[in-house]
Each structure stands twice: as structure tokens, then as C-alpha cells.
Amino acid sequence: MGERAGGGGGGSVAAISPVQQMLASGTGALLTSIFVTPLDVVKIRLQAQQTPLHHALACESAPWGGVIRPSKWKCFLYCNGLMDHIYVCQNRTSLTSWYKTPTHFSGTLDAFVKITRHEGLRSLWSGLPPTLVMAVPATVIYFTCYDQLRDFLRLGLGFQGSLVPLVAGGLARLGAVTVISPLELVRTKMQSRRLPYSELRVCIRSAVAQDGLLSLWRGWGPTVLRDVPFSALYWFNYELVKARLCERSRVTQANFSISFTAGAVSGAIAAILTLPFDVVKTRRQIQLGEMDSLGVSFKRTASTWHMMKGIWAEMGYRGLFAGFMPRVIKVAPACAVMISTYEFGKAFFQEMNLDRERLGS
């Protein structure tokens, strides 16, 4: 792979292959989603209790929204710690069983206890498998590309300094979003039309025939505007914080606790600074999901800047920073689990490669 297992610290170490990087990031992605998904399932169930889908009233959309919301359906966001996914619910009967279960909860802890007691422990991971089809490959592409780009910039082109992680992180995320964005859009379309995965090719063909090839990347802009700055800031701060913690601990290579702490801190900073883009991206995802559930073909949707101005006019700066605490509480641990597991996996393969080298010499 490159010069060091964690991208920080000193010392010459054995390289690890891109396949080993993929295995490390894939393992990290699975563990992150196992850890974060229960938190989001509980959040969704609590939100559903406050505003049941069958009680949702038809209301006129905001002028910058571009979509009206009939009472017979609703979309909600589901996050597995790796990606946000749209779930489309068209009426009471078509809801997934885990979403419509009528148990009453008095709070977060009560929801955890009652879901586990009445529906079984597995219910805390309801809805997870379909989302992993997109989220795990996206994470593998992203983390592997980051390491490869960072090492290419440092070793291949000779660039040094703290801007290398920033550039590599932004470019890696741009690539991952561009590859996964059309697949996630097609997944949402298939879900809203209740199509099996065997109909994937038909769904893609109909979408292209109806709205053109570029329609598969609808929603790409707001996603890039949130995820690319987030990733650039995250890797910039992660490498910086990790290097400082290594200095203070007087170690040349980051251990699990250093990676975990640096991941949590850098994830929280990036989440706060990119929150306005997250608000816009969430609204755009919901909007696209609603359009799909109605079978509406929109050639043009409101721009990110137009949506931001609308939110500012409607709610002020608080509107652009809505959900501040929930986002930080969700993102910081997810980043910490993902990066520490990834670094641990790379260190494991690095040690394995060193052992092979010793045996071969």
C-alpha cells in the first residue's frame, strides 16, 4: 500500500495490498453499521410514534421544495452509520413490519427495552441488509481510494504537509459518491415500485428512457456538497489529531485508542462544519423519494443555493443547523468505530505481511 499502516507516525513498515485495504474497510463498514443501526431504528420508531404515517395531513409544500406531500404516503431517512438511505412508504398496508409496529415508547431507553422484549433483539437491526448492498461497497471504494491517493500524492508526486489528506479525502469521496449515487437512486425507485432486484436492468432502462442518462445522478450535487467537504475536513483533522496524540503518547504508530479518539474528534468537527449542507441534502433526498413514489418526472429541481436561501428565509440560521446534536451523536461514534477498526485491520495485515517476509528471507 504505502509508507505506514495508519498514515501517521514514523518508521518504515511493510506495504499492504489494495485487496487487504478492501478487507479492512469492509470489516470496519460491517461493524460500524452493526453498532449504529440500532440507534437509528429507535430514532425512526420514536419519530413514527410522534407523527404516524396514516395521520400525516396533506399540506402545501414550501415554494423551494418543489413537491406536494399527499397524506397517503411518506418517506423517511434510514442511516446505518455509513450512508443515508430513503425508505418509501405509500400507505399503511405497505409499510415494513418493523416500522408500523404499534408499541408505545416513552423515550429512547424505553424504546430499546420494549423493542428487544416484544419484538426480539434482531428487530434493532431491522431494514439493515438491503442498505448494506450499497453502503459496504461505497465505504470500501472510499477508504481504499483515500489510502491509494494519499500515498500516490506523497510517494509518487512528492507532496508533503497536512493538505495531502485534505485533497485525497475530498477526491476519494467524490469518486465513491459518483459511483454509488445512481445505484442508490435506482434502489429507491425499485423500492417505491416494489420491484425485485431481478428487474434492475428494466428499472434502469425505463429511468434513462424517461428522463435521460444524467437523471441517474439526480441529487448528486447536494450529496457532493456535503460529503466532499466533510471527507476533506475529516481526513485533514484525523491525520493532524492522530499525529499529536502519537507525539503525546510517545509512540511512532497509532494504537486502537488513538485512532478511536482521533476519529471521534475529527468526525464531530466535520459534522458541525458541514451541517447546513446535510440539511439541504436530507431535504433533497426526501424530495426525490417523494417524486419517485408519485411516479412524477421532474426535469428540474431547486438548486442547493435556492434551497438554502429558502430555509434561511423560513427559519433563519437555526434552520440550516437543525439536528445539530443528533448528527454529532450519530457521526462521531460511527467515525470512531469505522476508522479504528480499519486501522486495526490494516495493522493486522501489515503484521501478517512482515511475518511472511521474515519466513521468506
Side-chain angles (χ1 to χ4, degrees):
M1 166 200 113
E3 68 211 291
R4 35 181 92 92
S12 175
V13 296
I16 70 170
S17 69
V19 172
Q20 290 174 330
Q21 289 172 342
M22 289 177 182
L23 287 169
S25 55
T27 304
L30 287 170
L31 288 175
T32 302
S33 53
I34 288 167
F35 172 76
V36 173
T37 297
L39 303 174
D40 212 58
V41 166
V42 166
K43 182 202 76 177
I44 289 168
R45 293 286 292 274
L46 287 168
Q47 285 175 344
Q49 178 178 280
Q50 290 164 7
T51 314
L53 298 193
H54 54 281
H55 289 158
L57 299 173
C59 62
E60 193 176 332
S61 68
W64 43 267
V67 157
I68 41 178
R69 297 179 172 85
S71 58
K72 66 179 180 181
W73 55 262
K74 187 181 175 74
C75 295
F76 64 90
L77 272 186
Y78 175 101
C79 180
N80 53 25
L82 305 168
M83 281 177 69
D84 297 326
H85 303 268
I86 284 285
Y87 261 87
V88 183
C89 301
Q90 293 178 321
N91 52 52
R92 278 181 80 179
T93 57
S94 68
L95 294 178
T96 48
S97 58
W98 64 270
Y99 186 72
K100 67 177 180 179
T101 309
T103 316
H104 180 79
F105 311 115
S106 59
T108 303
L109 188 62
D110 184 55
F112 270 109
V113 172
K114 283 183 177 173
I115 289 171
T116 306
R117 185 185 298 160
H118 300 303
E119 300 167 38
L121 195 62
R122 285 174 63 183
S123 291
L124 291 172
W125 287 273
S126 300
L128 176 61
T131 67
L132 290 179
V133 175
M134 301 295 169
V136 173
T139 307
V140 168
I141 291 168
Y142 169 47
F143 275 79
T144 306
C145 283
Y146 169 73
D147 269 350
Q148 293 293 321
L149 281 167
R150 184 201 62 207
D151 292 340
F152 174 71
L153 289 169
R154 283 181 176 166
L155 303 176
L157 300 180
F159 290 112
Q160 297 300 322
S162 55
L163 288 181
V164 169
L166 188 137
V167 174
L171 289 174
R173 178 63 84 173
L174 181 65
V177 168
T178 304
V179 171
I180 295 296
S181 190
L183 298 175
E184 177 61 16
L185 193 74
V186 168
R187 189 198 68 84
T188 306
K189 281 179 183 288
M190 292 179 75
Q191 192 210 357
S192 65
R193 295 167 194 175
R194 293 176 167 186
L195 296 172
Y197 278 101
S198 58
E199 298 287 319
L200 179 65
R201 189 179 294 178
V202 176
C203 187
I204 293 170
R205 274 183 187 165
S206 66
V208 172
Q210 188 177 5
D211 298 317
L213 186 64
L214 289 178
S215 69
L216 293 176
W217 281 271
R218 190 179 283 151
W220 178 87
T223 305
V224 164
L225 281 173
R226 182 196 71 169
D227 288 1
V228 171
F230 177 93
S231 298
L233 289 165
Y234 170 76
W235 288 109
F236 172 80
N237 285 301
Y238 173 73
E239 301 286 10
L240 212 62
V241 172
K242 185 175 72 170
R244 294 283 164 85
L245 290 173
C246 282
E247 280 176 27
R248 287 186 64 180
S249 303
R250 293 177 183 173
V251 294
T252 55
Q253 203 169 302
N255 54 32
F256 187 88
S257 61
I258 288 175
S259 297
F260 190 93
T261 306
V265 170
S266 53
I269 293 167
I272 293 164
L273 294 177
T274 58
L275 191 56
F277 294 114
D278 182 61
V279 171
V280 171
K281 191 230 177 197
T282 299
R283 296 205 179 207
R284 176 62 60 83
Q285 270 190 295
I286 296 287
Q287 182 191 104
L288 291 173
E290 291 172 352
M291 283 158 54
D292 280 331
S293 69
L294 286 173
V296 175
S297 175
F298 273 57
K299 293 290 182 186
R300 186 181 64 85
T301 53
S303 69
T304 300
W305 177 243
H306 186 55
M307 290 181 84
M308 273 189 170
K309 284 201 297 184
I311 295 168
W312 181 278
E314 190 184 333
M315 293 177 278
Y317 76 91
R318 289 188 178 184
L320 290 172
F321 285 89
F324 167 82
M325 279 310 292
R327 177 155 160 80
V328 172
I329 289 168
K330 180 174 70 180
V331 170
C335 286
V337 172
M338 179 64 218
I339 195 64
S340 53
T341 309
Y342 180 53
E343 297 282 33
F344 181 83
K346 289 198 296 180
F348 169 79
F349 285 119
Q350 180 190 28
E351 196 63 39
M352 189 177 80
N353 293 349
L354 277 171
D355 289 341
R356 278 182 185 168
E357 282 178 20
R358 289 191 199 107
L359 287 169
S361 59

